Amino acid sequence: MTRRTKAAHAAALAAGALMVLSGCGGSGTAAEPKATGAALLGEQLTGMVTQVDKMGIVEWHGQMLTKSPDKGGRRILDLSSRFSPSTGYSEVSMDTTLDGNAQQIDYLVVNDRTYFNSEAWGPGSNDCWVDITDDEDYSWGLPRVLDPKWALTEGRALSADGEDVNVSLGYKDVLAGLPKGLFKVVPSLPYDTEAKAFIEPHGHLIEVGVDVAGMWSKLPKAQRASLDARVGWWSMTMKESTNDKSIAPPKFVFDPKVTPPSQCRR
């Protein structure tokens, strides 16, 4: 589930996008501010990608809200994760009350296999995991893309506000970065549909906000209403983990239909 770093690609997109917005042509001193702005925009986005690339284990936290937190959005789910860029392994914990159903689920993703651990099994089974790679009912809380840089590397830069960069993200990239079971049926959208997003550096922390509900503008009103109640605003932060312990493969993998969780180590 790793994604190839595309810092240079992001920079090119950023520079190209701003040049389109600023106009083409021109010469002499009148054209210099436009070129300088494009270059700075590309550098800002590339700098944030580089900042994440330099992290050992990336610790990220995602929240799905009904709408922007500035407008009083209600939390739908939380995802907390540690991602190892060197191996592609991830530890993910999900906490949600989606559709009134409270759940806390732990995932471990190693070598493109997904494993599940439940608190209901008791403290003695913390090292016990079940392979749920092909089980959509259990793996629904995992994003298809676990590298949190997706919003930085896939973003089409539009403008800058100080150190912050405003971008557009293709809807397929957005859906790939969200828990895959949020949609019982993935909405059918025009290929060029995009979501507006912002990326903000805060020292060692990078913040991302994606207006997911804004992608629904081309859908019929009734369909938009059902989607907006479930998915509105994706908020994410990423930083270098203070826990430098490597992400290890599951210690015990068992079949709960055969072995009770209390005896999984046998």
Side-chain angles (χ1 to χ4, degrees), residues 1 94 98 103 105 107 112-114 116 130-144 175 178-186 230:
M1 293 197 180
M94 184 189 70
L98 190 67
Q103 294 186 64
I105 302 174
Y107 297 108
D112 294 328
R113 304 298 298 179
T114 300
F116 165 82
V130 176
D131 190 327
I132 58 164
T133 303
D134 300 316
D135 191 331
E136 292 294 326
D137 290 337
Y138 278 99
S139 63
W140 72 269
L142 275 179
R144 289 179 172 82
L175 295 182
L178 303 182
K180 56 190 175 184
L182 281 174
F183 306 96
K184 292 183 173 66
V185 177
V186 177
R230 192 174 177 89

Side-chain angles (χ1 to χ4, degrees), residues 117-129 251-252 254 260-266:
N117 176 275
S118 172
E119 284 188 335
W121 296 345
S125 56
N126 288 344
D127 296 326
C128 302
W129 299 85
K251 194 169 183 179
F252 300 102
F254 75 106
S262 60
Q263 302 177 21
C264 69
R265 299 187 183 194
R266 300 182 182 181

Side-chain angles (χ1 to χ4, degrees), residues 93-104:
S93 179
M94 184 189 70
D95 181 17
T96 178
T97 54
L98 190 67
D99 298 332
N101 181 23
Q103 294 186 64
Q104 197 283 319

Side-chain angles (χ1 to χ4, degrees), residues 157-222:
L158 300 176
S159 63
D161 182 6
E163 293 184 338
D164 307 341
V165 180
N166 297 309
V167 303
S168 281
L169 290 160
Y171 82 95
K172 290 185 178 180
D173 295 315
V174 174
L175 295 182
L178 303 182
K180 56 190 175 184
L182 281 174
F183 306 96
K184 292 183 173 66
V185 177
V186 177
S188 178
L189 296 168
Y191 75 94
D192 58 347
T193 300
E194 294 181 321
K196 294 295 186 293
F198 68 80
I199 304 171
E200 298 182 354
H202 300 283
H204 70 289
L205 185 76
I206 293 178
E207 179 183 1
V208 176
V210 184
D211 179 14
V212 183
M215 297 193 304
W216 313 144
S217 60
K218 296 179 182 180
L219 294 174
K221 186 176 181 180

Side-chain angles (χ1 to χ4, degrees), residues 45-59:
L45 192 56
T46 302
M48 285 187 276
V49 173
T50 302
Q51 180 179 338
V52 179
D53 283 341
K54 289 181 178 179
M55 299 176 184
I57 300 292
V58 182
E59 182 178 306

